[in-house]
């Protein structure tokens, strides 16, 4: 039985993530809907006494249903069906080989009573809660050390009812860090798709120490002034795809992380091989896509493509600080479209925010080989605000084929640079910083990560670039 189940699981993983197992380790987001839909065992949450009236607390029903379905984890897995209705619940744990299915009209509502969100230990790569020292509230949908987990449906909704948490945060009434909507820890084979996320108390989706993650076809919404309601935050995770999402929140739409200062350095779990594709959204306080500021375990091999951002604060931002250590390298950003964005591209080398006084201020981050290619924008406030760290220059930062129309009434220089060095070509307005050379081809093309085939051919007719094989 165990041997046959192992064979079934290998085939399942290949069906989910077949593109990731192809020659050369190519990273794609394709997965099989037929595998998601088919679980040999299925139950409805109503079979365990759940009432979808928006008032009855159904935490026990979810817990009992998942306890029962766990007996099928070695028999092909199971599906927990959530029908139309308002299903109020506190935090509950997922299991391996599970599909949590929210049908059309189904809403899982997070309880507004903090006691229904248990308190757990901080993550080892953070050393404490992100907002407050000590422990933190557990996410509404939670799991750790799992394999093959799917959260999907017919555009059902997960609503954290976060306004009460935002008020507690603003009034200084929290005893522990606020909870996420979904957090999976040390999980392999995670799919979150075809859902709407609303009003998270804190970050919406937080895969941490995970591998083989697909986040696809989501709508994530929170008020523009809601505090720290990040959309998707892959953290110390590898082989992650985020595609075809619409996100409007009070913080970064996507933020790539890997641990905080000395705790992240010690835990040494990087984020790598992350693809973000076809994202649309708005944030008036933060960034479309951020890397950091918690990046002490390292971040590398990041591909961002087809981001559409409007009426927002910042397009792309890299955040770090002395004391972080770690690195951000091999990042390729392309096909960006901005409209009415205050700062198109921003590097912040002195972000601050440390977990405690034990960080090492001499632990400096290495920021290198970051390429921006095929970027356009209208009604831009500042094209680039690029601030590195004195004595720790950010290097091999490349801009190619960038056209940003800066607002005519702006009195600021379109580009401001300090402790950042790199190359630019076909950029308007021109980067006037002395630390940027005005050409990439042919001498410096190898210094710029992931230049596209079209621009290589346009410049010098060079042969096919191997990085394209990863798309």
């Amino acid at each position: 039985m165990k041997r046959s189940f192992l064979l079934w699981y290998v085939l399942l993983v290949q069906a989910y993530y077949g593109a990731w197992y192809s020659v050369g380790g190519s990273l794609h987001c394709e997965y099989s809907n037929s595998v998601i839909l088919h679980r040999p065992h299925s139950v409805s949450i109503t079979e365990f006494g759940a009432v979808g009236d928006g008032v009855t607390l159904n935490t026990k029903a979810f817990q009992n249903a998942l306890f029962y379905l766990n007996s099928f984890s070695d028999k092909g897995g199971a599906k927990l069906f959530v029908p139309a209705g308002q299903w109020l619940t506190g935090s509950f744990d997922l299991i391996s080989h599970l599909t949590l299915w929210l049908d059309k009209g189904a809403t899982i509502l997070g309880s507004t009573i903090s006691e229904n969100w248990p308190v757990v230990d901080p993550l080892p790569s953070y050393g404490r809660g992100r907002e407050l020292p000590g422990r933190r509230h557990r996410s509404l949908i939670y799991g750790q050390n799992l394999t093959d987990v799917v959260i999907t449906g017919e555009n059902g909704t997960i609503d954290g009812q976060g306004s009460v948490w935002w008020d507690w945060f603003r009034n200084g009434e929290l005893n522990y860090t606020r909870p996420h909507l979904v957090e999976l820890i040390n999980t392999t084979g995670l799919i979150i798709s075809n859902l709407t996320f609303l009003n998270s108390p804190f970050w919406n989706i937080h895969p941490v120490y995970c591998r083989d993650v697909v986040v696809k076809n989501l709508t994530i919404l929170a008020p523009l002034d809601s505090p720290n309601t990040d959309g998707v935050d892959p953290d110390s995770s590898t082989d992650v795809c985020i595609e075809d999402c619409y996100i409007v929140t009070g913080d970064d739409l996507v933020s790539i992380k890997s641990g905080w200062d000395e705790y992240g350095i010690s835990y040494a779990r990087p984020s790598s091989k992350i693809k973000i594709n076809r994202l649309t959204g708005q944030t008036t306080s933060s960034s479309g896509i951020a890397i950091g500021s918690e990046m002490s375990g390292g971040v590398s091999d990041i591909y961002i493509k087809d981001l559409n951002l409007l009426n927002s604060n910042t397009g792309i931002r890299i955040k770090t600080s002395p004391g972080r250590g770690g690195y951000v390298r091999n990042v390729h950003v392309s096909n960006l479209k901005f409209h009415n964005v205050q700062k198109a591209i921003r590097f912040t080398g002195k972000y601050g925010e440390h977990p405690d006084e034990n960080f090492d201020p001499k632990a400096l981050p290495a920021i290198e080989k970051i390429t921006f290619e095929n970027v356009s924008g209208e009604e831009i406030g500042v094209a680039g605000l690029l601030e590195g760290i004195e004595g720790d220059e950010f290097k091999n930062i490349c801009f190619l084929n960038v056209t940003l129309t800066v607002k005519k009434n702006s009195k600021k220089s379109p580009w401001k640079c300090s402790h950042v060095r790199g190359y630019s070509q076909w950029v308007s307005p021109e980067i006037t910083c002395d630390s940027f050379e005005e050409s990439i081809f042919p001498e410096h093309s190898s210094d710029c990560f992931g230049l596209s085939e079209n621009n290589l051919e346009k410049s010098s007719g060079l042969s096919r670039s191997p990085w394209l094989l990863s798309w």
Side-chain angles (χ1 to χ4, degrees):
M1 174 63 75
K2 290 183 178 179
R3 182 173 298 177
S4 62
F5 172 72
L6 178 60
L7 176 60
W8 174 87
Y9 176 63
V10 169
L11 294 173
L12 174 67
V13 170
Q14 288 178 340
Y16 274 159
Y17 309 104
W20 285 345
Y21 289 84
S22 61
V23 175
S26 296
L27 184 61
H28 299 284
C29 294
E30 288 77 12
Y31 61 90
S32 171
N33 278 321
S34 63
V35 175
I36 293 174
L37 291 169
H38 179 70
R39 297 284 192 184
H41 307 278
S42 178
V43 297
S44 171
I45 190 65
T46 59
E47 297 176 45
F48 295 83
V51 179
D53 59 3
V55 178
T56 304
L57 188 67
N58 296 296
T59 310
K60 285 293 184 183
F62 277 99
Q63 292 172 341
N64 291 339
L66 291 163
F67 179 80
Y68 168 75
L69 291 176
N70 196 39
S71 63
F72 301 104
S73 63
D74 62 347
K75 301 177 181 65
K79 179 168 74 173
L80 177 56
F81 179 80
V82 182
Q86 303 280 314
W87 307 95
L88 182 69
T89 182
S91 174
F92 59 88
D93 286 86
L94 300 184
I95 59 175
S96 291
H97 310 297
L98 172 76
T99 296
L100 175 62
W101 181 277
L102 279 69
D103 207 29
K104 183 178 180 180
T107 299
I108 292 178
L109 290 173
S111 170
T112 56
I113 299 173
S114 63
E115 288 77 7
N116 291 325
W117 306 65
V119 174
V120 295
D121 289 337
L123 294 165
S125 56
Y126 282 73
R128 48 160 277 184
R130 184 58 184 86
E131 304 181 290
L132 295 169
R135 307 180 82 198
R136 61 199 185 101
H137 285 281
R138 198 173 75 167
S139 63
L140 183 65
I141 299 175
Y142 181 80
Q144 57 180 327
N145 304 319
L146 303 180
T147 301
D148 173 27
V149 174
V150 180
I151 306 171
T152 189
E154 293 288 345
N155 199 32
T157 299
I158 300 173
D159 185 346
Q161 301 198 101
S163 60
V164 64
W165 294 93
W166 307 334
D167 289 342
W168 291 333
F169 170 77
R170 291 175 177 129
N171 296 331
E173 298 174 355
L174 290 169
N175 294 318
Y176 307 100
T177 292
R178 287 173 287 159
H180 313 301
L181 271 187
V182 174
E183 182 178 70
L184 276 295
I185 302 173
N186 195 32
T187 292
T188 299
L190 170 64
I191 295 174
I192 304 175
S193 67
N194 303 325
L195 295 170
T196 295
F197 287 78
L198 299 177
N199 303 318
S200 178
F202 198 36
W203 306 343
N204 277 268
I205 299 170
H206 187 219
V208 57
Y209 320 142
C210 291
R211 179 180 293 275
D212 299 340
V213 177
V214 173
V215 176
K216 189 176 178 75
N217 295 330
L218 299 184
T219 298
I220 301 175
L221 303 174
L224 290 169
D225 62 350
S226 57
N228 313 111
T229 50
D230 298 28
V232 185
D233 288 3
D235 196 339
S236 295
S237 294
T238 300
D239 290 337
V240 178
C241 288
I242 303 168
E243 277 194 345
D244 300 315
C245 294
Y246 178 75
I247 305 175
V248 177
T249 68
D251 210 305
D252 301 320
L253 308 187
V254 173
S255 185
I256 302 170
K257 303 176 182 291
S258 66
W260 198 9
D261 283 8
E262 70 269 26
Y263 302 103
I265 294 170
S266 175
Y267 200 70
R269 186 78 175 263
S271 280
S272 64
K273 293 178 65 180
I274 296 177
K275 178 184 175 185
I276 302 168
N277 199 12
R278 298 187 299 276
L279 202 69
T280 299
Q282 179 185 11
T283 171
T284 55
S285 63
S286 298
S287 310
I289 297 176
I291 299 177
S293 72
E294 310 91 328
M295 39 62 67
S296 302
V299 175
S300 66
D301 298 305
I302 309 299
Y303 299 91
I304 300 165
K305 189 175 182 181
D306 295 327
L307 169 67
N308 289 277
L309 195 67
L310 70 157
N311 303 329
S312 292
N313 184 291
T314 304
I316 303 291
R317 188 177 185 186
I318 295 177
K319 303 180 283 188
T320 187
S321 190
R324 289 291 192 269
Y327 55 85
V328 177
R329 63 169 66 102
N330 296 349
V331 177
H332 188 269
V333 184
S334 66
N335 294 12
L336 308 183
K337 293 183 179 180
F338 299 146
H339 181 81
N340 192 28
V341 173
Q342 294 180 33
K343 294 171 282 289
I345 297 165
R346 186 175 186 185
F347 294 173
T348 305
K350 295 184 178 180
Y351 190 78
E353 292 193 359
H354 302 284
D356 51 40
E357 296 180 355
N358 297 321
F359 74 95
D360 179 4
K362 296 180 180 179
L364 300 177
I367 312 297
E368 58 187 352
K369 289 215 164 188
I370 317 293
T371 296
F372 296 88
E373 188 172 7
N374 302 333
V375 180
S376 64
E378 298 177 345
E379 294 293 307
I380 304 300
V382 177
L385 185 57
L386 312 178
E387 300 172 341
I389 299 172
E390 185 175 2
D392 183 37
E393 196 172 62
F394 298 1
K395 60 185 180 181
N396 292 337
I397 311 301
C398 298
F399 294 90
L400 178 63
N401 194 26
V402 175
T403 302
L404 299 168
T405 303
V406 177
K407 294 179 180 179
K408 293 181 179 180
N409 61 353
S410 176
K411 298 180 180 180
K412 299 178 181 179
S413 171
W415 295 92
K416 182 178 179 181
C417 318
S418 60
H419 312 299
V420 176
R421 182 170 298 278
Y423 310 95
S424 67
Q425 190 160 344
W426 310 323
V427 175
S428 175
E430 180 181 339
I431 300 178
T432 56
C433 306
D434 293 338
S435 56
F436 276 81
E437 297 189 26
E438 293 183 10
S439 65
I440 293 175
F441 305 108
E443 292 89 352
H444 302 296
S445 58
S446 62
D447 297 317
C448 299
F449 178 70
L451 295 177
S452 72
E453 181 180 30
N454 288 340
N455 282 324
L456 286 170
E457 290 179 348
K458 180 179 177 181
S459 65
S460 59
L462 294 177
S463 61
R464 181 177 179 84
S465 179
W467 81 272
L468 286 170
L469 298 176
S470 66
W471 287 81

